[in-house]
Amino acid sequence: MNNIPLTDLKAQYLSIKKEIDLVIQNVIDSTSFINGEDNKKFEAQFAKFCGAKYAITVGSGSVALDFALEALGISVGDEVICPSLTFTATAEAIVHRRATVVFADIVEKTYCIDPKSIESKITKKTKAIIPVHLYGHPADMELILKIAKKYHLFVIEDAAQAHGAKFKKSTVGSIGDIAIFSFFPAKNLGCFGDGGAVVTNNSNLAKKIFLLRDHGRIDKYHHLEIGYGGRMDNLQAAILRVKLKKLNQWNTRRREIAKKYSQKLSSKYIVPIEEKSFYSVYYVYTLRHPRRDQIISKLKARGIQTGIYYPIPLHIQRAYQYLRYKTGDLPVTEKVCQEIFSIPLYPELHDNQIDFIIKTLCSL
Ligand SMILES: *Cc1c(COP(=O)(O)O)cnc(C)c1O
């Protein structure tokens, strides 16, 4: 058996090569590189996919977070609650507003932010909550919205890992006040570079994001506000339009593989749990085992690549030291970080590769 990577972007490209090559050539021929038709069309299609009114493409998922928080008016002195088990961009956006990051713990079963922990961290200064739909699994949006309503807080969904995931009947991105997505190449919906989107049902927020991403511009020469150079280019939009058509099918395949893994691996490992109201799109498939590091090196020796999302939680990273969190402050997050690891899961993974991974994991 050849090496099995954690994700295989080449295999995905080859499966749609003809269509992708064609649309790339079309954009080049049109020389419409910025603010093109593909961008407008993709925005309409992606908003519809999320069940939301507006989608605004921006330079990356990180930029989307920055713009979402700025549009909501988060600023100096405000506190914003987010998980510590996430990519640093979630918390960086809070710091960029010169607001205070407040880390909450996670639910051990789902790895997503714990509503009880959120409630225990609320103060008079709290302005917003950023739940992260981690690994493609939605956070408990019902309880989070309830808390937000009770304390008058904004909810920003970080859906960078969860394009197409659902909570009850709603697709993520349409549930909170505003949501962000990343189109980083390895994400469930990825482009050929950096890209992202802000999604919302609120027309005022949508207008504000439009201004922020393009220098506060209402037309070529009129600047209404101070904004940024934060656009996503048209080539990416053209590529994403091709891929969006495949996304449901790809997510279904991810779920199929996850189901097979879970059936076969649950006797030896803690497998992801998906309760009734949740529809996960398995951006990554994460297992837990107390001998994690040993297992990872044995898998590596057999050519199976793994990843850890994330080995060091944000609250004990050097960059957030100024917040003075200590080891022990978020016990569930810290425990889980010692034991989690992710195994290859992508739509193009072959059944014989899946069987090899299962067989190897069962033999360790
Ligand atoms: C990928 C990711 C981001 C940032 O997206 P980029 O497009 O890489 O800037 C933000 N939050 C989470 C949870 C992510 O996984």
Side-chain angles (χ1 to χ4, degrees):
M1 181 80 53
N2 285 332
N3 284 356
I4 307 177
L6 194 57
T7 189
D8 189 347
L9 296 177
K10 187 71 183 274
Q12 190 190 60
Y13 168 59
L14 291 176
S15 76
I16 50 176
K17 182 175 185 317
K18 251 193 183 160
E19 240 185 309
I20 292 281
D21 290 358
L22 182 72
V23 300
I24 290 176
Q25 192 58 52
N26 286 347
V27 173
I28 295 171
D29 290 340
S30 76
T31 69
S32 174
F33 296 117
I34 303 289
N35 294 334
E37 276 306 305
D38 284 301
N39 233 310
K40 285 199 198 78
K41 284 183 184 157
F42 174 70
E43 288 178 332
Q45 287 160 349
F46 192 65
K48 192 169 168 217
F49 176 85
C50 297
K53 283 191 186 144
Y54 309 98
I56 304 101
T57 58
V58 295
S60 69
S62 308
V63 169
L65 276 161
D66 284 338
F67 289 0
L69 267 66
E70 182 161 349
L72 288 170
I74 304 296
S75 69
V76 185
D78 294 341
E79 291 177 3
V80 179
I81 301 174
C82 73
S84 172
L85 186 67
T86 181
F87 183 58
T88 187
T90 313
E92 276 176 334
I94 303 167
V95 182
H96 294 162
R97 302 314 314 145
R98 290 190 282 146
T100 304
V101 181
V102 177
F103 289 119
D105 213 343
I106 53 167
V107 180
E108 189 163 348
K109 260 192 197 173
T110 65
Y111 308 117
C112 290
I113 196 166
D114 182 354
K116 283 199 211 86
S117 179
I118 293 175
E119 198 156 11
S120 76
K121 307 249 168 185
I122 289 171
T123 72
K124 284 200 173 68
K125 292 179 180 168
T126 310
K127 280 283 155 57
I129 309 165
I130 314 182
V132 178
H133 305 309
L134 200 72
Y135 310 149
H137 185 290
D140 191 328
M141 293 308 289
E142 189 164 75
L143 293 179
I144 292 168
L145 290 185
K146 219 172 179 178
I147 292 168
K149 199 168 167 198
K150 184 169 162 192
Y151 297 95
H152 307 286
L153 308 175
F154 295 120
V155 176
I156 303 129
E157 291 178 73
D158 183 337
Q161 303 186 0
H163 320 64
K166 293 182 186 72
F167 178 72
K168 302 218 159 153
K169 290 263 150 34
S170 304
T171 306
V172 303
S174 67
I175 307 170
D177 295 286
I178 196 162
I180 75 93
F181 288 86
S182 162
F183 305 127
F184 180 82
K187 302 280 158 96
N188 290 46
L189 179 64
C191 59
F192 285 9
D194 273 316
V198 180
V199 169
T200 182
N201 283 313
N202 181 315
S203 62
N204 289 328
L205 290 176
K207 271 181 213 151
K208 179 81 186 171
I209 303 287
F210 269 112
L211 290 172
L212 285 175
R213 79 153 174 204
D214 194 18
H215 306 286
R217 210 158 20 197
I218 44 169
D219 57 40
K220 193 168 179 183
Y221 297 117
H222 292 88
H223 304 272
L224 204 62
E225 288 182 16
I226 299 297
Y228 301 85
R231 301 170 304 230
M232 186 179 84
D233 64 73
N234 207 37
L235 211 45
Q236 304 306 341
I239 290 162
L240 288 167
R241 284 183 64 207
V242 173
K243 289 198 177 193
L244 183 59
K245 288 188 283 187
K246 306 276 182 193
L247 185 54
N248 281 329
Q249 178 191 325
W250 285 339
N251 282 342
T252 303
R253 174 67 180 154
R254 283 177 184 272
R255 289 175 55 78
E256 204 177 279
I257 300 170
K259 198 171 159 194
K260 194 161 179 191
Y261 277 154
S262 294
Q263 274 167 359
K264 307 274 181 176
L265 298 172
S266 65
S267 56
K268 281 198 111 167
Y269 301 87
I270 298 178
V271 298
I273 292 168
E274 191 190 41
E275 277 171 345
K276 229 174 104 208
S277 313
F278 300 90
Y279 181 93
S280 172
V281 292
Y282 294 94
Y283 165 56
V284 290
Y285 183 88
T286 299
L287 292 168
R288 256 174 82 193
H289 198 284
R291 284 186 292 107
R292 186 255 322 262
D293 294 336
Q294 213 181 324
I295 289 162
I296 286 181
S297 56
K298 285 185 177 164
L299 289 173
K300 192 175 170 198
R302 288 166 173 77
I304 300 169
Q305 200 190 346
T306 56
I308 302 174
Y309 306 98
Y310 296 86
I312 307 164
L314 297 183
H315 71 285
I316 44 187
Q317 290 277 2
R318 174 73 203 276
Y320 297 94
Q321 228 175 42
Y322 73 98
L323 293 168
R324 299 186 181 283
Y325 282 80
K326 300 181 304 297
T327 305
D329 283 343
L330 302 173
V332 183
T333 298
E334 290 163 28
K335 179 171 117 188
V336 153
C337 285
Q338 308 283 326
E339 300 182 349
I340 47 174
F341 66 104
S342 303
I343 59 174
L345 190 159
Y346 46 90
E348 300 77 15
L349 201 59
H350 295 299
D351 285 333
N352 63 340
Q353 293 175 306
I354 297 165
D355 292 341
F356 176 70
I357 292 166
I358 289 171
K359 207 177 90 194
T360 308
L361 274 164
C362 286
S363 74
L364 297 180

